[in-house]
Amino acid sequence: MSSSCTGLSRVLVAVATALVSAASSCPQAWGPPGVQYGQSGRSMTLCCPGVTAGAPVSWSRDGETRLLQGPDSGLGHELVLALADSTDEGTYICRTLDGALGGMVTLQLGYPPARPIVSCRAADYENFSCTWSPSQVSGLPTRYLTSYRKKTVPGADGQRVSPSTGPWPCPQDPPGATRCVVHGAEFWSQYRINVTEVNPLGASTRLLDVSLQSILRPDPPQGLRVESVPGYPRRLRASWMYPASWPRQPHFLLKFRLQYRPVQHPAWSMVEPAGLEEVITDAVAGLPHAVRVSARDFLDAGTWSAWSPEAWGTPSTGPGLCPYPAWIILLRSCLPSGPLPKEIPAGGKPYTQPKEKPQMDSPAPPRPSLLPDPRPLDHRDPLEQMAVLASLGIFSCLGLAAGALALGLWLRLKPDGKDGHQKPGFLAPMIPVDKLPGAPNL
């Protein structure tokens, strides 16, 4: 019984406090002392802070001698402003009947809070953060109260299998920032985020339901490097690392996509590497290339990360080892004559024709343009073309040899006709012993 009475008394005290606050014509202090807040377009009541309630005072604006309200107004220590607007903002001074300073009040106008805009993102599978911004600028001091709770999860049969838990505060990092972080979240659970915007004129709440699977978005990969491949004027090797915020575990891996383009072309080419390294085989010789990479959960949970900062690299143009096997070079002599592809440096250096001296009467050659080239890139790899030609040549030679061998065997083993002349064997020139002259009969 005593506990019931204690709970009832607490409720009554809270209701009484609310009624007193509502009945008071002067709003309670919110923020710095001596400042009162009001809503634009509404009536506003100012209270003289240094006198007792009901004591007659006179009001004037700071820096002005004209009285706004005399002590005989019958309003006591209050000043009423009808339909206050921005011109009414400023400092007001109240004085008692003997001219003594009663106090100073600064009026600031604004608007009640609106529901904030909230979004959440998980940079890994254990933690997530939520950020918010006001949907309407109130013009008044504003605070945000943030919390979260774990939602109930329906089972396979539609029944609830776990009770609601929480709420817990969502700590703002740093305090007062428009961001809060939830640590130790469960990857397969759902959470309800509560962000309440509070200012002197009221409060407004936004509720957002999130799950880590849907808001997962890793940070961009780090340490992107682009290097040339010696001896291959159309190849670049790109390598990168996992983002530092992603705990690399065998059950939660990332997949990647890589984009690259030459400096003079705005269009990107894209590949999906199998690991943390990729060799680009169709780079444009002699041109710098921009490369960038992004990441995503390997089971396609959430969305792709933002692109990493671009890294630049230029294919190798110096001497190097010949990238083709020896049998391709030997077969090259059997193919139609022509210059070797650019990716076969003859003698370690690509062959270049000597430059002709320009004639005096000929016009100067046009300067290269820095504008993007609208023509599509030629992504055919000379190495691949050479390998295809070599393979066709080898198969053709093998086919001809097999055909010739089969034809020879067929002609050698072909059976003769019945009436045909019998071909002498290798013993045909020999004479039988019984037919020799003078040989005794046995």
Side-chain angles (χ1 to χ4, degrees):
M1 183 68 180
S2 59
S3 61
S4 301
C5 294
T6 303
L8 181 59
S9 62
R10 291 178 180 177
V11 172
L12 293 177
V13 170
V15 172
T17 303
L19 292 176
V20 171
S21 299
S24 177
S25 58
C26 295
Q28 299 296 322
W30 204 100
V35 179
Q36 287 189 232
Y37 303 96
Q39 182 176 353
S40 297
R42 299 286 184 89
S43 297
M44 186 66 196
T45 300
L46 303 182
C47 297
C48 186
V51 298
T52 59
V57 296
S58 59
W59 288 89
S60 63
R61 295 286 295 267
D62 185 23
E64 298 181 3
T65 58
R66 181 178 62 89
L67 289 179
L68 297 177
Q69 179 178 292
D72 54 352
S73 62
L75 298 178
H77 70 299
E78 299 177 352
L79 171 65
V80 178
L81 302 175
L83 301 179
D85 56 21
S86 58
T87 60
D88 295 319
E89 290 185 308
T91 302
Y92 293 79
I93 300 175
C94 59
R95 298 182 181 274
T96 59
L97 294 177
D98 56 359
L101 178 64
M104 302 176 66
V105 179
T106 300
L107 175 62
Q108 183 177 348
L109 301 178
Y111 299 93
R115 291 198 302 172
I117 301 172
V118 183
S119 62
C120 297
R121 170 181 171 263
D124 56 56
Y125 52 86
E126 295 178 343
N127 312 287
F128 69 92
S129 62
C130 296
T131 58
W132 56 87
S133 61
S135 58
Q136 173 183 304
V137 179
S138 66
L140 300 177
T142 303
R143 302 170 185 168
Y144 291 93
L145 305 178
T146 54
S147 63
Y148 73 98
R149 65 185 305 168
K150 184 179 178 182
K151 292 187 61 180
T152 57
V153 180
D157 56 352
Q159 302 295 327
R160 298 180 183 272
V161 297
S162 63
S164 299
T165 54
W168 300 286
C170 183
Q172 300 177 14
D173 183 22
T178 58
R179 177 178 180 266
C180 72
V181 181
V182 176
H183 297 283
E186 299 177 0
F187 187 76
W188 306 107
S189 299
Q190 292 186 349
Y191 296 88
R192 171 162 291 178
I193 309 301
N194 183 328
V195 179
T196 301
E197 180 177 330
V198 182
N199 72 10
L201 302 183
S204 183
T205 298
R206 170 79 69 177
L207 299 178
L208 180 65
D209 294 337
V210 299
S211 64
L212 261 68
Q213 300 178 63
S214 60
I215 64 174
L216 183 62
R217 191 187 187 197
D219 290 330
Q222 298 176 346
L224 176 60
R225 298 178 57 187
V226 181
E227 300 173 336
S228 60
V229 181
Y232 292 82
R234 296 199 64 187
R235 296 194 178 189
L236 290 170
R237 178 181 290 107
S239 60
W240 56 91
M241 298 183 298
Y242 267 62
S245 59
W246 186 270
R248 189 174 182 181
Q249 300 293 337
H251 302 294
F252 293 91
L253 300 179
L254 293 176
K255 64 179 183 179
F256 304 93
R257 60 180 180 178
L258 181 142
Q259 286 188 340
Y260 60 96
R261 65 174 178 85
V263 66
Q264 293 184 351
H265 290 262
W268 292 89
S269 300
M270 187 171 67
V271 294
E272 292 194 5
L276 297 174
E277 182 178 302
E278 177 68 14
V279 176
I280 302 171
T281 60
D282 57 352
V284 180
L287 288 183
H289 287 66
V291 180
R292 61 185 184 180
V293 64
S294 66
R296 187 179 184 178
D297 176 75
F298 79 113
L299 292 179
D300 291 332
T303 58
W304 286 97
S305 72
W307 290 104
S308 67
E310 295 180 2
W312 290 83
T314 304
S316 174
T317 56
L321 298 177
C322 179
Y324 294 106
W327 61 271
I328 294 183
I329 303 300
L330 294 177
L331 186 63
R332 180 65 181 83
S333 60
C334 300
L335 298 176
S337 60
L340 291 173
K342 293 181 180 179
E343 211 170 51
I344 304 181
K349 294 183 179 180
Y351 172 77
T352 55
Q353 296 181 353
K355 299 181 180 179
E356 298 181 357
K357 295 182 179 180
Q359 300 179 2
M360 299 301 296
D361 298 336
S362 61
R367 299 181 63 185
S369 174
L370 297 179
L371 297 177
D373 189 357
R375 296 175 298 177
L377 293 177
D378 183 11
H379 294 287
R380 294 173 297 178
D381 192 354
L383 177 60
E384 297 177 359
Q385 299 176 7
M386 196 65 186
V388 171
L389 292 177
S391 301
L392 292 177
I394 290 177
F395 287 131
S396 299
C397 293
L398 293 177
L400 291 176
L405 181 60
L407 181 60
L409 291 176
W410 181 78
L411 293 176
R412 182 69 179 85
L413 300 178
K414 178 180 180 183
D416 297 331
K418 294 182 180 180
D419 298 335
H421 178 70
Q422 185 176 4
K423 295 182 179 180
F426 71 94
L427 298 178
M430 300 182 63
I431 301 174
V433 177
D434 58 350
K435 299 300 183 180
L436 292 176
N441 294 328
L442 300 178

